[in-house]
Amino acid sequence: MAKLILVVDDEKSVCEALKDVLEESGYSVVTATSGREALEKVNLIRPHAVLLDIRMPEMDGIKVLQVLREKYPGVPVILMTAYSDTQTTINAMRHGAFEYIVKPINLDELLSTLEKATTVTEPLVTVGKGEVAPRPGTLIGCSPAMQEVYKTIGRIADSDVTVLIQGESGTGKELVAEAIHYNSPRQGRPFVKIDCTAIPENLLESELFGHEKGAFTGAHTRKLGKFELADGGTVFLDEIGDISPALQAKLLRFLQEKAFERVGGTETRRVDVRIIAATNKDLEERVKSGLFREDLYYRLNVVEIRLPPLRERKEDVMLLVDYFVSLSNRKFGKQVTGLTRSVADILLQYNWPGNVRELRNVCERAVLMARGNVITPESLPEYLLRAVRSRSETWHPAEDKRVLPLKEMVAEMERSAILRALEEHRGNKTAVARALGMSRTTLYAKMKELGIADPENDKDHHELKKVFGGIERA
């Protein structure tokens, strides 16, 4: 059955010319010569797409677009005009236009745009309709692995037992710590988080235990540490695997006695706090290699919670997408309510090296880039589309004979490794180069060769952060 297009232009000759061209291309076409007539016809025929001129008397295209977006959000609208200017283009996209075409119209561009627009009226996956208010410790997922996590949280929440949460970066370790705290008798007391990798090693002891005035250069006043500030509550020590041996010894004493001295002080202080620690490192391996104290490991690991990576719980992906799209709608004032089946397939095929945090950032970007109220493949970041194409082309040679050249396959693997290392080390290129076994100079050259944004200098840094996190943690 031919897809139905409504062409709206106050010049009848333009309507007729477009009607002839589109019908030759296999579309069914209805025309209207005013904004009011267009709204009446949309109500009657519900077209697959509307091709709408901007400059019309009485009711211009932008006003028609606003009404269509409100009353018929599922109908994609393509605006056309002979008078292109920056502000008009911005307004058109702000009000939810699917695309914006400048006259004289390029036929190939028009047909390509219509083909994309009419796909969004095909069966959609409904998302983002939930009324959500983000709250601490919200965990999403129905997979068996996540059900086990929920059960463990329920069993230990009422106790003061020390918990070690292990999992890859971005899996939601902080959310699990919050869920434990806010379901415990300590929920009315402070939840204090310390990112052990974000604080310089020489300042971390002071951050944890506080310091007295004059304890070191720059200590002009007494400062209370996180343990004192959290008295009665919970302290979450994130990335515990990276602390120094000296600090490991002091933390062990604190866990044993709940006692400490401020830096530069002599008075022993005691507090009542629960300790929850997390790491993306393999602490058992670090113990074996002598990088982490065995006695501290066992003190922390009274109860262990292992969070599975997102690639091992693909059944949770669409639940998370629905939740994150709802959050993004609320955050950005959008009304995205669906995504095409092809987008769902892409999201399910991708391996999510950045885990839940990466998925959240991709959903936020997709909501912002969505055309109208539907997320299409064009709304997704290019790196994700490339990765899925690469998987489908190289992992299933029996089903698909298109195999990437070896050079491209190697480049894709290198790019993935560098992006993951940048995300894990929060853009610290010295640490990234060390982790990848190369010099900073080689790393810069590789980033340039592979088209990876430089977090310090590249103008696309803001876009990179939105994808890999670093501002909000999922």
Side-chain angles (χ1 to χ4, degrees):
M1 183 177 175
K3 292 180 178 178
L4 180 59
I5 309 299
L6 174 62
V7 175
V8 187
D9 197 299
D10 60 320
E11 294 185 33
K12 191 172 182 179
S13 61
V14 173
C15 288
E16 292 303 319
L18 285 170
K19 185 175 189 293
D20 291 342
V21 168
L22 295 178
E23 286 181 342
E24 286 178 8
S25 299
Y27 290 101
S28 177
V29 180
V30 174
T31 64
T33 55
S34 72
R36 298 192 186 283
E37 183 185 359
L39 294 175
E40 291 171 1
K41 289 191 173 178
V42 170
N43 187 44
L44 291 172
I45 64 175
R46 295 298 172 88
H48 289 85
V50 176
L51 197 55
L52 174 64
D53 188 38
I54 288 184
R55 298 216 173 179
M56 296 187 295
E58 295 183 23
M59 192 177 196
D60 67 21
I62 295 293
K63 291 180 181 176
V64 176
L65 171 64
Q66 289 176 284
V67 176
L68 288 173
R69 300 312 315 140
E70 182 180 345
K71 292 188 175 181
Y72 313 102
V75 179
V77 180
I78 301 164
L79 292 176
M80 356 174 244
T81 183
Y83 307 94
S84 175
D85 65 80
T86 302
Q87 196 56 51
T88 302
T89 304
I90 292 172
N91 285 340
M93 304 316 288
R94 277 186 62 221
H95 290 300
F98 183 86
E99 192 52 273
Y100 182 92
I101 295 177
V102 179
K103 297 177 182 177
I105 294 172
N106 180 290
L107 180 57
D108 290 338
E109 179 189 2
L110 174 61
L111 294 177
S112 173
T113 302
L114 276 174
E115 183 179 359
K116 292 175 183 177
T118 53
T119 62
V120 304
T121 57
E122 295 174 358
L124 301 177
V125 177
T126 301
V127 293
K129 287 192 172 182
E131 289 295 327
V132 294
R135 61 185 185 277
T138 299
L139 293 163
I140 304 295
C142 64
S143 61
M146 289 306 294
Q147 291 296 326
E148 289 304 313
V149 171
Y150 303 153
K151 290 175 186 176
T152 302
I153 292 172
R155 292 186 186 110
I156 66 174
D158 286 341
S159 71
D160 280 337
V161 66
T162 304
V163 182
L164 178 62
I165 307 168
Q166 300 207 64
E168 294 179 8
S169 180
T171 48
K173 298 185 289 294
E174 183 179 342
L175 291 177
V176 172
E178 288 179 347
I180 294 170
H181 173 76
Y182 289 105
N183 284 282
S184 77
R186 296 177 180 267
Q187 61 181 291
R189 303 295 297 166
F191 176 83
V192 176
K193 174 200 166 183
I194 303 158
D195 186 342
C196 298
T197 61
I199 303 168
E201 186 177 317
N202 61 325
L203 297 179
L204 187 55
E205 181 181 355
S206 169
E207 194 70 21
L208 292 174
F209 301 113
H211 63 251
E212 298 290 352
K213 180 179 179 180
F216 50 83
T217 303
H220 302 301
T221 60
R222 171 187 289 173
K223 177 185 176 182
L224 300 185
K226 299 296 188 184
F227 288 132
E228 283 186 88
L229 294 173
D231 195 13
T234 302
V235 172
F236 174 53
L237 299 172
D238 198 9
E239 303 307 345
I240 191 69
D242 293 305
I243 64 173
S244 68
L247 195 54
Q248 289 178 36
K250 293 186 177 182
L251 182 59
L252 176 64
R253 182 213 168 190
F254 177 78
L255 288 171
Q256 291 171 331
E257 304 174 10
K258 289 293 191 297
F260 64 96
E261 291 82 38
R262 297 188 189 124
V263 177
T266 56
E267 182 182 348
T268 298
R269 300 179 177 279
R270 297 183 182 278
V271 291
D272 171 28
V273 296
R274 180 181 195 168
I275 300 296
I276 301 175
T279 181
N280 61 11
K281 303 287 195 305
D282 187 332
L283 284 193
E284 286 188 36
E285 285 300 316
R286 292 180 76 80
V287 168
K288 290 176 184 176
S289 61
L291 297 173
F292 201 84
R293 294 181 61 121
E294 185 175 25
D295 46 4
L296 177 57
Y297 171 67
Y298 288 119
R299 276 284 177 180
L300 292 171
N301 193 23
V302 177
V303 171
E304 179 186 43
I305 296 178
R306 285 192 175 269
L307 272 179
L310 189 53
R311 63 182 173 275
E312 293 179 7
R313 55 180 186 111
K314 288 290 185 73
E315 59 265 59
D316 291 337
V317 168
M318 294 313 298
L319 286 174
L320 287 160
V321 169
D322 179 48
Y323 177 69
F324 291 144
V325 170
S326 295
L327 284 181
S328 300
N329 279 339
R330 179 187 179 99
K331 180 177 180 180
F332 302 123
K334 297 284 187 175
Q335 294 182 332
V336 171
T337 56
L339 48 87
T340 62
R341 175 57 62 184
S342 59
V343 169
D345 291 342
I346 290 167
L347 297 179
L348 289 169
Q349 288 180 53
Y350 185 57
N351 254 353
W352 301 107
N355 292 296
V356 179
R357 184 187 303 132
E358 183 184 6
L359 177 59
R360 177 173 185 159
N361 292 330
V362 167
C363 288
E364 286 195 356
R365 180 193 192 279
V367 167
L368 285 170
M369 301 299 289
R371 299 174 175 188
N373 69 333
V374 175
I375 295 173
T376 63
E378 290 77 21
S379 309
L380 301 177
E382 181 60 30
Y383 82 87
L384 191 151
L385 300 176
R386 277 201 306 271
V388 172
R389 282 197 298 267
S390 176
R391 283 172 57 84
S392 64
E393 290 172 354
T394 60
W395 290 19
H396 306 287
E399 301 171 12
D400 188 342
K401 300 300 182 183
R402 298 170 299 154
V403 180
L404 288 177
L406 180 61
K407 184 177 180 180
E408 290 186 28
M409 292 169 61
V410 172
E412 190 63 42
M413 288 187 288
E414 286 180 336
R415 189 176 192 279
S416 177
I418 292 173
L419 286 172
R420 185 166 181 178
L422 283 167
E423 194 273 342
E424 182 174 334
H425 295 283
R426 295 172 173 81
N428 183 325
K429 289 185 287 300
T430 299
V432 170
R434 188 185 304 118
L436 296 175
M438 62 177 69
S439 67
R440 277 177 61 99
T441 302
T442 303
L443 175 62
Y444 276 113
K446 275 291 178 189
M447 288 172 66
K448 184 176 181 180
E449 175 189 334
L450 298 170
I452 299 173
D454 181 346
E456 292 177 0
N457 302 312
D458 199 285
K459 64 183 180 180
D460 292 330
H461 173 46
H462 183 64
E463 188 67 18
L464 186 69
K465 284 184 74 175
K466 283 203 301 182
V467 173
F468 288 102
I471 299 174
E472 294 184 49
R473 300 174 66 88

